[in-house]
Structure formats: C-alpha cells, structure tokens
C-alpha cells in the first residue's frame, strides 16, 4: 500500500475528539440561524474539529452552477473572487456532488471520476494550499443548490471514508438550519422594512388588533396624540374623551374584524371613516380617522386594523380650493366634499351652504362619478389619501377630466 492509499484508508487522527465534540458543533450551527455572522462561526468550528484548511457554504444557481451567495470562512477575498470567476461553474467536485445518486460527501481523491489534473484545478489547489476536497449538496430547491465544501491541507492528509461518514451526519442539520435562517430572515426583513416605512410617513398611523389593543404606532401618531387631549394613549389602548366617540371607535374596529357573511367567511369590507371634532373649549382642530382592514394569510394570526389619522389643519391641504383643483370638480362640489371630510352630515352641509338636500345629494353623486367612488366613506378616504400623500402639496395642476 503506497502513501496515498494509506492516507485514504486512515482517518484524520483527531476524528475521535471531533466526534466527541459533535453536540457542541451542532450548537454553533443552530446559533447561526439568527446570528449576524450567519454560519461563519460554524464553519470555523468545523475547520478546527476536523483539521480543514477551508470550509465554505456556497449557494449556487441550479442552472448555471455559478455562485450567488454563501459563507467563505477564513478565505481571502481575492481567492474567493478568483474561484467564483474562473472555476465555480465547472468545479468537478461540486458537479460530482450534484450528480451522485445518494446525498452525501464525495472526495476528490476517493471518487475516481473526479479528476484533479485540470490545470485550473491545480492552480486553485495551489492558491488555497489544498491537497484534497470534500463536497456535499446539503440543500436544493428549484432555483439553487447549497454546497458544503471542505478543503484539506497537506499537514492533515486526504479525507478518509470514515471521515466522510461522519460529515454525512451533518447534512440534515445544515439543511434544517439553512431553512430556519431563511424563514427568520424573511420575517425579520419584512417586519423591519414595514416598520421603517411606516415610521417615515408624515401621516399618523396606528395598528390595532381585534380587541382594540395597539400593536404599533409611528412617530407621527405619537406626536399627534400628545398634542390632542380629546384622545389619549394609555399604555396599549386609545381612550376618547367623549363616550360617544369611544363607542364609535369600538364599533369601527368591530365592523372590520368580526363581521362574517352567511357562510361564516370574512366579508371583503371597505374602509370605515370616523370624524373627530375637538370638544368645546379645546383650541385644536379636528381630524378624520380612516380605519382599513389588514388581511393576513394565516387566520390564526388574528385580525388587524390600520388606523390613519388625517388632521383637518394638516398645513391647509384639505381645503375646497385644493379639492376643486386636484379632482377637477365644481366649486359647489368642492364645498360639499370639504364638509364631508370634516365630518359634517349632509343635513349640516345643506344648512351651512343654504342649499336644498336634493341639490347636496346631486353634488355627492357627481363627486362619486368624478372620483370613481360609491360611498361617502370611500369618497372621504380617497380624497384624504390623495391630498395628503407625499408630494401632493406640489400638485398645482388639476387632474384632467
């Protein structure tokens, strides 16, 4: 038996110690699910325990074999860049791992069909200081493969069948950890992006569950609530100074979270509008509250309502002049729409404008047609969201009819 054969047959001398530390290795692996460094600490520990020069988790395009991401522990950036540009897509060890019938590690020297004679491979091994490599596909889906690849330096010798058998025990754990990390990242990323987006909005936003508890409020909402004493935040609830307004608030939440049709299915409900006038003696303008249901894919998550607050004194943006200009409506129609946005009933608008109710209703129908809405609440919501969206104050031209 020559030297190469003996190295193949005899396992790395530290394998018993490595196996004894297997549980600690798995602990580091699963820590990578939420760690900022990802799986680099796991790869580093893997190197230490199994005498590897390199350890990488590479994510590759399943159609081209090109690297699209991953972790490259302790590998210089220039070497990683060279590998990705020159060799990754035709790495015979990776291709062997993809093509083999059974999931498991293959070694360049143990697998007879993995040639090390390619000049590019020779150059790669020389750059990385490797005499052997072992690779396994630990996860695959429709678009990507994730390969765990280990590299051996001369001082540790080549991989043995016994070592590959030990490495095979890692595959299921690595696959599970990768899946968990993807789920965690999707949830955290989506949540973080949503929170950041809501925080940047100028409009006060409050998210509530079906029991009226506050799940989230952005900075604009907190600032608005502090300056408006007729509605207060007390820990996780909103309390209105008026009992009638408190009742209307609860009714709005209940309407959007508890209503079902005759078959027990959730109704596709539109937004609910509630107006809020400042009580007598409080020198602050009123506001219109727009309640919108937030539909979620999983029923067990529970219903959520987004409350958007539109102050009537929002820099003078909700005025009959802007309504007339923005929606290309008549002056009389704009006056009616302004009254609706300020919470007035049709009867109150009729009295204020000294017009017959039939005339007011005609104006409302015309507003519906020109704004493509069908209900008063829908009309008010459309006007508020249009005039208070970012940049709308710069729109000096009327909308073409």
């Amino acid at each position: 038996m020559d030297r190469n054969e003996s190295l193949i047959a005899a396992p790395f001398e530290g394998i018993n110690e490595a196996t004894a530390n297997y549980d600690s290795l798995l602990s580091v692996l699963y820590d990578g699910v939420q760690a900022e460094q990802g799986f680099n600490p796991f790869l580093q520990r893997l190197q230490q325990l199994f005498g590897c020069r390199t350890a990488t988790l590479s994510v590759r395009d399943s159609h081209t074999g090109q690297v699209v991401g991953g972790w490259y522990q302790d590998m210089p950036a220039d070497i990683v860049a060279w590998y990705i540009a020159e060799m990754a897509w035709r790495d015979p060890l990776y291709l062997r791992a993809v093509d083999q019938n059974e999931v498991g590690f293959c070694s360049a020297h143990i697998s007879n069909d993995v040639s090390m004679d390619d000049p590019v491979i020779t150059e790669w091994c020389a750059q990385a200081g490797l005499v052997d490599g072992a690779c396994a596909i630990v996860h695959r889906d429709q678009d990507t493969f994730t390969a765990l690849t280990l590299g051996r330096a001369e001082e540790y010798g080549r991989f043995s069948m016994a070592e590959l058998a030990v490495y095979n025990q890692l595959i299921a754990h690595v696959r599970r950890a990768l899946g968990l990390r993807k789920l965690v990242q999707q949830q955290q990323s989506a949540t973080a992006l949503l929170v950041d987006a809501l925080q940047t909005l100028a409009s006060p936003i409050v998210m509530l569950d079906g029991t009226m508890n506050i799940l989230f409020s952005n900075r604009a909402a907190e600032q608005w609530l502090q300056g408006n004493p007729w509605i207060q935040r007390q820990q996780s609830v909103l309390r209105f100074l008026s009992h009638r307004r408190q009742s209307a608030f609860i009714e709005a939440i209940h309407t959007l979270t508890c209503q079902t049709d005759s078959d027990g299915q959730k109704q596709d409900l539109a937004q609910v509008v509630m107006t809020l006038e400042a009580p007598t003696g409080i020198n602050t303008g009123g506001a219109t509250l727009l309640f919108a249901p937030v539909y979620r894919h999983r029923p067990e998550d529970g219903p959520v309502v987004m409350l958007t607050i539109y102050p009537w004194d929002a820099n003078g943006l909700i005025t009959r002049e802007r309504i007339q200009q923005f929606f290309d409506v008549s002056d009389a129609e704009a006056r009616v729409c302004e009254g609706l946005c300020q919470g007035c009933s049709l009867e109150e608008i009729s009295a204020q404008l000294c017009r017959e109710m039939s005339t007011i209703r005609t104006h409302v129908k015309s507003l519906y047609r020109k704004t493509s809405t069908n209900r008063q609440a829908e009309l008010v919501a459309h006007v508020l969201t249009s005039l208070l969206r970012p940049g709308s104050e710069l729109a000096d031209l009327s909308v073409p009819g």
Side-chain angles (χ1 to χ4, degrees), residues 239-258:
R239 186 180 72 82
F240 290 75
L241 188 63
S242 164
H243 294 296
R244 183 171 61 89
R245 294 301 181 192
Q246 187 73 29
S247 175
F249 168 73
I250 293 174
E251 181 182 359
I253 300 294
H254 180 79
T255 298
L256 294 178
T257 60
C258 299

Side-chain angles (χ1 to χ4, degrees), residues 54 154 164 201 241 265:
T54 62
E154 187 173 358
L164 299 187
L201 294 179
L241 188 63
Q265 300 295 317

